[in-house]
Amino acid sequence: MPGGGSPIGFAAFAAVKATGYTGAAFYLSRAYGFDWTGRKKILVGLARTGIGIAVGVTFGLSWGLLYGPAQQSGEWWIVTYYALLLPIRMGEWYLLLWLFFDRGQRNRGRMLKYAALGTGLSYGLDFLAVAAALVVPGGMWIC
């Protein structure tokens, strides 16, 4: 959800996301049968966080420019905002899976399953990340 705030709020938001995504990387590396070191798993988590920040900031700024005034007229916008994120997040997770786990797309069904699970994780982490960002001085800025 777009907002305003401080670098500390942004860092808190990103730290929660990076932690959750690194946990997902541990799970995915086991699911795909990769014997990776912890560093590689952390890299995957940070890569997913970076993808999310780049896409999230772009989406959030676009949303604010297109629908900013409409946000004042009711609560419908939050549902629409998160609904529009669904295919975007599926794409982000699919990209991550392609980059690190299945370049040949040998099992697209499995990739879609893990992209869907990752998308659910992203939504769940939003709640925790926004809460973390709101309790630090200055609040948050990222969507």
Side-chain angles (χ1 to χ4, degrees), residues 3 30 37 50 55 62 72 94 103 112 115 128 138 140:
R30 179 174 288 153
T37 65
V55 173
S62 299
Q72 307 301 318
Y94 200 90
R103 280 274 171 118
L112 287 171
L128 297 173
M140 65 169 282

Side-chain angles (χ1 to χ4, degrees), residues 69-91:
Q71 292 180 19
Q72 307 301 318
S73 64
E75 297 299 322
W76 68 269
W77 68 270
I78 193 81
V79 174
T80 304
Y81 180 84
Y82 278 105
L84 290 173
L85 275 178
L86 180 65
I88 293 168
R89 285 186 166 166
M90 283 290 293

